[in-house]
Amino acid sequence: MDVPETLLRLLARRRGIEAFGAFRPEFERAARALSEQDNDPDVRGATVGERQYARWLTGEVKNQPHPVACRVLRAMFDRPASELLGPPPPPSPHPPRAVLASWGAVLSQPQITEEELLMTANDAASHAGDAASQFLAPEAVELLRRSVASLARDYHRTPVQSVFVEVRKVRGQVERRMPLTHRPDQSSALYLIAGQSCALMASAAFDLGSRKAAETLTYAALAYARPIDHHPLLAWASGNLALLAYWDDRPGQAIDYVTAAQSLARSGTGQARLHAISARAHAHLGDHAEVARQLAAVEDVDRSVRDDLHDDIGGEFGFTPERAAMSAGTSWQVLGESQHAVIASQRALELVRGRSQASRSVKVEAEASADLAAGLLAAGELEEAVLAMEPVFTLPAEQRVDGLMSRLANVRVRLAAPGLRRTQAAISLAERVEDFALTSARTLVAAPGPRELDA
């Protein structure tokens, strides 16, 4: 006896999923995609039993399937269940023989019936519908975007270990969601969020003392940014590679990174950051004139020209005037220009202390205070240096980041100068610095390494 034919059987056969073992996974995958599309958790777990599927194939059903099953079937085949469970459409009638006789040339080619054309077209449309249906709820992408932005803005007042852990969670969520969408706009958004997450983790890894991990994560940020051609993130990450090269005593390479990034930085903030990094690299090379030129360029940028990373998100991605002044103080410090260094560091402290408590960067204030103390010691102003250091000593261990520790090492060197090292005040300050440095953000946890980052 012939097995009854339904449109569902015909379409499933053509798609290669007529067997129950092949059909059920496709049905469940379509249910999950439909759940994401409609933001309907009730659809997500929909499935089909073998006996039920057998009745569908033969059309031996007394009532329409459950509404959820109807929705999933429609999502799979772009046809209502009532049509799928009925007989397939009849093939088109053949043309009259007289007409066929005049088609000699055509008949010599492989013959394709109208039914095959329609079925192929419907299959293509069905697959396109399946692919198009795979996208994330916009709210899911927006939540990830806001999470990264919030972590970047709160970086200055959050323990760096916590930042690293939370950003790593966001990046993990992005990675899990990437295969769930076929929409180019959502894929680009997820690439950007992943890149921003890696960039934030790079900052945290540096503050925790793991420059190797910071470099690996920065390259990961670049890898995410390049396919979507996101210039602000490309510029920020290239600048970060320059900073890492600077701290690793590779000033020439730092300048190369900055030069490569300058054509990518469109906003005034992004340009200011690169000029400041360039000034510090040139300071290591002892180029007074170029340091002065780069620091002047920092002041001359048009900060009204904005971008979505340095300005709209800002925070750790930003480069505020106080950070610019602090960086200038460090550049002058490296050159041995103690007077300029003191002026710039005092300016940084004036700016940061002029902000509200919620928006004040503890990191900038501490590092500028250490630079100010070093500049004052270079000028022989020991008492003023002791006062400058007081805000630093109040920092809890989790906020004693690696950049601050490097600056405190410079203070120790200044205290060992022949004119100071034998004075009781210098000895006392040196002991306090040494005790303070025994615990830092780096010592509280094991600094993350490349294996842990999965970047």
Side-chain angles (χ1 to χ4, degrees):
M1 184 175 66
D2 292 338
V3 177
E5 182 87 334
T6 61
L7 179 58
L8 175 63
R9 183 189 293 276
L10 184 61
L11 293 176
R13 183 186 307 136
R14 288 185 176 276
R15 197 179 294 185
I17 59 172
E18 181 180 2
F20 176 70
F23 182 87
R24 179 173 175 174
E26 285 295 304
F27 185 89
E28 292 174 347
R29 186 200 61 76
R32 291 192 296 272
L34 186 62
S35 174
E36 292 282 350
Q37 173 185 322
D38 295 348
N39 194 23
D40 187 350
D42 293 337
V43 182
R44 184 170 186 83
T47 187
V48 59
E50 187 169 5
R51 293 179 61 187
Q52 180 184 27
Y53 178 57
R55 290 195 297 272
W56 288 357
L57 290 182
T58 60
E60 295 176 355
V61 290
K62 296 180 180 179
N63 300 306
Q64 281 282 88
H66 190 278
V68 169
C70 291
R71 290 171 60 190
V72 177
L73 287 171
R74 175 131 201 173
M76 290 179 70
F77 298 102
D78 196 30
R79 293 164 186 255
S82 58
E83 184 176 334
L84 290 168
L85 302 184
S92 299
H94 293 294
R97 183 174 301 177
V99 176
L100 289 174
S102 64
W103 286 2
V106 175
L107 291 175
S108 65
Q109 303 297 322
Q111 296 186 32
I112 301 175
T113 67
E114 175 72 11
E115 179 188 359
E116 289 179 290
L117 290 172
L118 288 173
M119 293 301 300
T120 301
N122 287 330
D123 281 352
S126 177
H127 179 269
D130 287 347
S133 72
Q134 292 189 33
F135 71 95
L136 297 170
E139 295 81 7
V141 179
E142 182 62 22
L143 182 61
L144 292 169
R145 183 185 292 115
R146 291 190 180 193
S147 295
V148 170
S150 178
L151 287 164
R153 290 168 187 150
D154 292 341
Y155 189 98
H156 67 280
R157 57 181 176 180
T158 307
V160 67
Q161 303 95 321
S162 299
V163 173
F164 185 87
V165 170
E166 292 304 314
V167 179
R168 184 172 57 186
K169 289 179 183 176
V170 172
R171 186 197 163 276
Q173 292 175 35
V174 171
E175 184 176 357
R176 289 190 294 273
R177 282 164 172 74
M178 279 184 174
L180 301 180
T181 180
H182 286 174
R183 283 181 48 168
D185 61 327
Q186 289 193 335
S187 294
S188 295
L190 291 175
Y191 265 72
L192 177 57
I193 297 167
Q196 292 168 347
S197 299
C198 288
L200 271 184
M201 286 194 290
S203 286
F206 175 81
D207 283 340
L208 289 170
S210 182
R211 295 178 189 172
K212 179 63 176 176
E215 185 176 52
T216 300
L217 282 161
T218 304
Y219 277 119
L222 282 170
Y224 281 120
R226 289 195 194 285
I228 58 175
D229 200 27
H230 193 273
H231 285 195
L233 183 55
L234 288 169
W236 189 95
S238 297
N240 212 50
L241 289 177
L243 267 179
L244 292 168
Y246 157 82
W247 281 107
D248 201 31
D249 293 325
R250 293 178 280 125
Q253 192 172 4
I255 293 169
D256 290 341
Y257 281 129
V258 168
T259 301
Q262 282 176 329
S263 62
L264 300 170
R266 308 290 173 79
S267 73
T269 303
Q271 291 173 4
R273 178 173 178 265
L274 292 174
H275 285 305
I277 296 170
S278 180
R280 287 165 73 166
H282 281 99
H284 266 277
L285 296 173
D287 191 338
H288 288 66
E290 189 61 22
V291 170
R293 192 181 77 81
Q294 292 294 334
L295 292 180
V298 173
E299 300 300 320
D300 290 342
V301 299
D302 183 0
R303 286 186 178 262
S304 67
V305 180
R306 300 169 59 88
D307 68 41
D308 61 354
L309 183 74
H310 295 87
D311 302 288
D312 293 348
I313 294 180
E316 183 60 16
F317 293 129
F319 195 70
T320 58
E322 55 264 37
R323 287 179 79 166
M326 181 195 72
S327 184
T330 303
S331 297
W332 292 122
Q333 192 82 244
V334 172
L335 283 174
E337 297 280 357
S338 59
Q339 184 176 0
H340 288 313
V342 166
I343 292 172
S345 298
Q346 287 175 331
R347 175 62 177 160
L349 289 170
E350 177 186 335
L351 289 169
V352 74
R353 289 169 182 169
R355 291 190 179 272
S356 66
Q357 195 66 37
S359 60
R360 180 183 299 183
S361 173
V362 175
K363 177 181 175 180
V364 170
E365 184 173 9
E367 293 183 0
S369 295
D371 274 349
L372 175 59
L376 291 168
L377 289 171
E381 303 289 347
L382 178 56
E383 291 184 9
E384 288 81 356
V386 171
L387 291 173
M389 283 294 298
E390 286 304 322
V392 177
F393 292 134
T394 64
L395 277 183
E398 64 269 16
Q399 292 180 327
R400 301 173 194 177
V401 296
D402 214 53
L404 175 61
M405 296 297 105
S406 299
R407 287 172 167 84
L408 291 182
N410 187 34
V411 171
R412 288 291 306 277
V413 170
R414 301 292 186 186
L415 287 168
L420 296 175
R421 63 188 177 193
R422 297 184 183 278
T423 66
Q424 185 56 46
I427 293 172
S428 177
L429 182 57
E431 290 175 346
R432 291 185 72 186
V433 170
E434 184 176 354
D435 290 342
F436 179 86
L438 289 176
T439 54
S440 66
R442 184 198 296 194
T443 64
L444 292 180
V445 293
R451 289 183 182 178
E452 180 189 355
L453 304 175
D454 281 336

